[in-house]
Amino acid sequence: AGACLRMHFSLPDFSACRVLVCGDVMLDRYWHGATARISPEAPVPVVQVKNDEVRAGGAGNVALNAASLGAQARVIGLIGDDEAGRLLGESLAARGVACAFERLADAPTITKLRVISRHQQLIRLDFEERFDACHAPRVADALAAHLEGIDVLVLSDYAKGTLADVPALIALARARGVPVVVDPKGTDFSRYRGATLVKPNLSEFEAVVGPCPDEATLIARGEALRAELDLEALLVTRGEQGVTLLQRGQPAHHQPTRAREVYDVTGAGDTVSAALGCGIAAGLSLLEATALANLAAGVVVGKLGTATASLDELYAAMDAHSPVARGRMAVEALISASQRARAAGERIAVIVGPVGAPGAALLSRLEQAGRQADRVLLVEPADTDADALAVLAALRQVDWVVNVDPAGHADLLARIGPHLLLPARP
């Protein structure tokens, strides 16, 4: 099985991050009203529409999520010369997203209209035509015009035709040294060759590589796909099973889902794409950006409809998923803390000392443990000096320090049930 992603990172300031989103934009429209009678024309309910709600969907929702985190977001996409396109632009601009839309006379703005009564969706009406490939040069020209100073490009593919020539878009960005995050669609992933990171969900991934009945198969096939496409990383989102990150030159990393309650998964993939992009733009490692994205997804699936995660909500979620005390601990307090960590789906690594004075060898060992677990415990001898214990407890990579007589090690480990046990030295 792959290693876990640690949650111990601080949220950066995203305000200076410039995130460019390009892809299929769409308008999510909701007509709300009461139903009191059946139509005399046909056996269908009559809805008296009282409220017309519009939201940005697709690549527009990705940009909204980036703006919600405080980033400077701009979105490029194709829209029709129609009311829906105007409403989409106004909706995004009102939320701080800059729009660089290419307006077409020969196709409508992609619109999904939902009629809702008494909190039930009665019908969904889709207004769309796949955009013709002849419009691809306009998208490429718009992208080239807005790449200057961009920190990350997010490509949001809903297979509606905006990204008909996605290889050209990836090449434009990489030529400028801009990292590229792709939310893919379809089974031809060769189109995304050379991107920095591609993030399929499990069903999309298996449609490309075949069924993965176990973790080992998923990792092996994912690594082969990542290498074939020359990607820096492949991130497979697996719903309630969490996320798995396959990164060039690194062991596979897995993180459990951070969702507490799931109400609606609509737009969760958009949130993951945006958070990954913002994390990369802010200088986070791919591991940290993945942890951020997983946390943000856990926030939005607790909301109805397409939604975004704010910084305040992320801070609250981090607190909720890091409820465990840290530092030097008594045995019973440590047992309680480890039980709470396990209940939160976290993996625990134990290093049995004495570790000696902090040095390069110890830090390397701690980094190794941190790559494979969410919590790291140092077990030191009972007679270890209090000052030495305080120094160890202050290390960033250490969650807990406990000092126990060696005769009590077996009982302590049995009660903690660590996922990983490491000696102090290789």
Side-chain angles (χ1 to χ4, degrees):
C4 282
L5 299 173
R6 291 170 62 83
M7 286 293 294
H8 310 314
F9 66 93
S10 299
L11 290 178
D13 179 5
F14 296 110
S15 62
C17 299
R18 300 182 64 182
V19 178
L20 181 60
V21 180
C22 181
D24 297 305
V25 295
M26 56 193 74
L27 182 71
D28 285 325
R29 197 165 190 172
Y30 302 82
W31 285 355
H32 301 268
T35 302
R37 60 194 180 94
I38 300 297
S39 171
E41 303 166 359
V44 294
V46 175
V47 179
Q48 186 175 3
V49 176
K50 293 290 188 180
N51 182 34
D52 182 3
E53 178 187 4
V54 296
R55 300 180 188 178
N61 190 42
V62 176
L64 276 181
N65 271 272
S68 182
L69 293 177
Q72 302 172 45
R74 182 183 299 274
V75 60
I76 295 171
L78 299 176
I79 63 172
D81 187 8
D82 50 25
E83 180 201 28
R86 177 182 60 80
L87 290 173
L88 180 58
E90 291 174 353
S91 174
L92 287 165
R95 299 279 295 277
V97 175
C99 299
F101 292 149
E102 291 294 310
R103 194 178 298 273
L104 308 177
D106 61 352
T109 300
I110 298 171
T111 303
K112 300 182 184 300
L113 170 61
R114 299 163 178 89
V115 180
I116 298 174
S117 182
R118 298 179 182 177
H119 307 292
Q120 296 290 324
Q121 184 177 149
L122 302 182
I123 191 171
R124 192 182 93 177
L125 307 173
D126 288 3
F127 303 86
E128 66 176 74
E129 296 174 16
R130 181 179 171 84
F131 296 117
D132 195 283
C134 69
H135 299 303
R138 294 182 61 175
V139 176
D141 289 344
L143 182 68
H146 292 286
L147 271 175
E148 186 66 33
I150 291 300
D151 297 306
V152 68
L153 170 65
V154 180
L155 297 175
S156 180
D157 196 348
Y158 277 80
K160 307 299 184 185
T162 307
L163 301 183
D165 192 7
V166 70
L169 306 181
I170 293 172
L172 280 170
R174 299 319 303 267
R176 303 273 190 99
V178 176
V180 180
V181 173
V182 179
D183 190 354
K185 192 64 98 176
T187 56
D188 181 15
F189 277 22
S190 66
R191 305 170 64 237
Y192 310 120
R193 187 181 312 278
T196 306
L197 182 148
V198 175
K199 56 148 291 282
N201 61 36
L202 182 59
S203 63
E204 291 166 339
F205 175 72
E206 290 186 323
V208 174
V209 304
C212 297
D214 52 52
E215 195 94 355
T217 304
L218 184 147
I219 291 172
R221 293 181 178 177
E223 274 296 340
L225 180 64
R226 186 206 58 73
E228 177 189 345
L229 300 182
D230 192 26
L231 307 174
E232 180 67 27
L234 182 75
L235 178 66
V236 183
T237 59
R238 303 166 60 188
E240 68 277 2
Q241 298 178 64
V243 298
T244 298
L245 177 69
L246 305 173
Q247 191 175 355
R248 179 184 293 147
Q250 300 291 334
H253 288 260
H254 180 74
Q255 185 170 346
T257 181
R258 298 297 175 182
R260 290 198 152 187
E261 293 184 88
V262 177
Y263 289 103
D264 191 346
V265 298
T266 304
D270 297 336
T271 299
V272 171
S273 298
L276 282 170
C278 287
I280 292 169
L284 295 182
S285 69
L286 290 180
L287 288 174
E288 292 169 328
T290 297
L292 170 68
N294 194 28
L295 194 68
V299 171
V300 299
V301 296
K303 303 178 180 183
L304 291 174
T306 52
T308 59
S310 69
L311 281 176
D312 286 344
E313 288 170 326
L314 288 185
Y315 277 116
M318 290 183 76
D319 290 342
H321 287 290
S322 300
V324 183
R326 302 180 67 196
R328 182 183 174 187
M329 308 189 78
V331 170
E332 291 306 317
L334 173 65
I335 299 302
S336 175
S338 66
Q339 290 173 342
R340 294 174 68 189
R342 289 176 67 93
E346 296 182 335
R347 290 168 60 93
I348 300 171
V350 175
I351 297 177
V352 178
V355 299
L362 174 60
L363 294 179
S364 175
R365 204 68 170 153
L366 292 174
E367 291 289 352
Q368 177 191 358
R371 287 194 298 269
Q372 301 180 70
D374 299 286
R375 300 283 175 176
V376 176
L377 164 65
L378 289 184
V379 179
E380 288 289 278
D383 59 356
T384 304
D385 179 75
D387 288 342
L389 292 173
V391 170
L392 293 173
L395 294 175
R396 176 181 61 83
Q397 302 92 334
V398 174
D399 292 282
W400 306 309
V401 175
V402 66
N403 54 324
V404 178
D405 188 275
H409 283 182
D411 179 64
L412 177 68
L413 294 176
R415 297 179 69 187
I416 290 175
H419 299 83
L420 182 68
L421 183 61
L422 297 171
R425 293 176 179 81

